[in-house]
Amino acid sequence: PADQRTRTGLGVPAGTIAYLPPEYLGSGGREDAGVDAYALGVILYEMLTGAPPFAGAADDPAGMLYAVLSEEPVPPAEVNPDVPAALSELALAMIAREPARRPADPAAIRAWLDRIESAASEAPCRDI
């Protein structure tokens, strides 16, 4: 199965490459809050688009590793035009290659989501 092909192997930090941030892959597996924020960002991206970032490289572990380490993901709002810009920005921030560009901790992610919810509740309703 594809999932078997994209898991890390012997001598590489454990996990599924698509969910591991670049600094984790390059550090030999040192964990911190940024690892969880990144993985949650990948899940958010999948929820918004139906596929993980770098889905085109999913069948090739080396290709996936290269993509995570060096490519920029397509913004969710470009993949799915129904995604609000603010939610697309949050997903991209959470999977930013540079840890300093990601929300610092779960409280920062929650604050961002609260701002999105607040703005959505103030926006006029539209027919779907």
Side-chain angles (χ1 to χ4, degrees):
D3 186 48
Q4 293 286 346
R5 292 189 299 266
T6 57
R7 289 188 185 155
T8 55
L10 189 60
V12 179
T16 303
I17 297 170
Y19 296 87
L20 299 175
E23 71 275 10
Y24 180 85
L25 293 168
S27 72
R30 182 181 48 82
E31 293 189 35
D32 60 20
V35 173
D36 293 335
Y38 186 93
L40 183 59
V42 172
I43 293 168
L44 176 59
Y45 190 101
E46 285 182 283
M47 290 171 60
L48 298 173
T49 67
F54 318 117
D59 287 338
D60 174 29
M64 178 62 76
L65 183 61
Y66 176 81
V68 169
L69 292 173
S70 62
E71 294 180 6
E72 292 295 327
V74 176
E78 287 183 26
V79 176
N80 177 358
D82 292 330
V83 172
L87 207 46
S88 183
E89 291 169 13
L90 173 58
L92 289 177
M94 291 174 72
I95 60 173
R97 214 175 13 257
E98 300 81 19
R101 289 183 36 216
R102 291 186 216 132
D105 55 32
I109 295 169
R110 175 63 188 253
W112 198 322
L113 288 168
D114 288 345
R115 288 191 301 273
I116 292 170
E117 180 182 32
S118 178
S121 67
E122 295 171 7
C125 292
R126 64 179 186 164
D127 291 332
I128 297 178

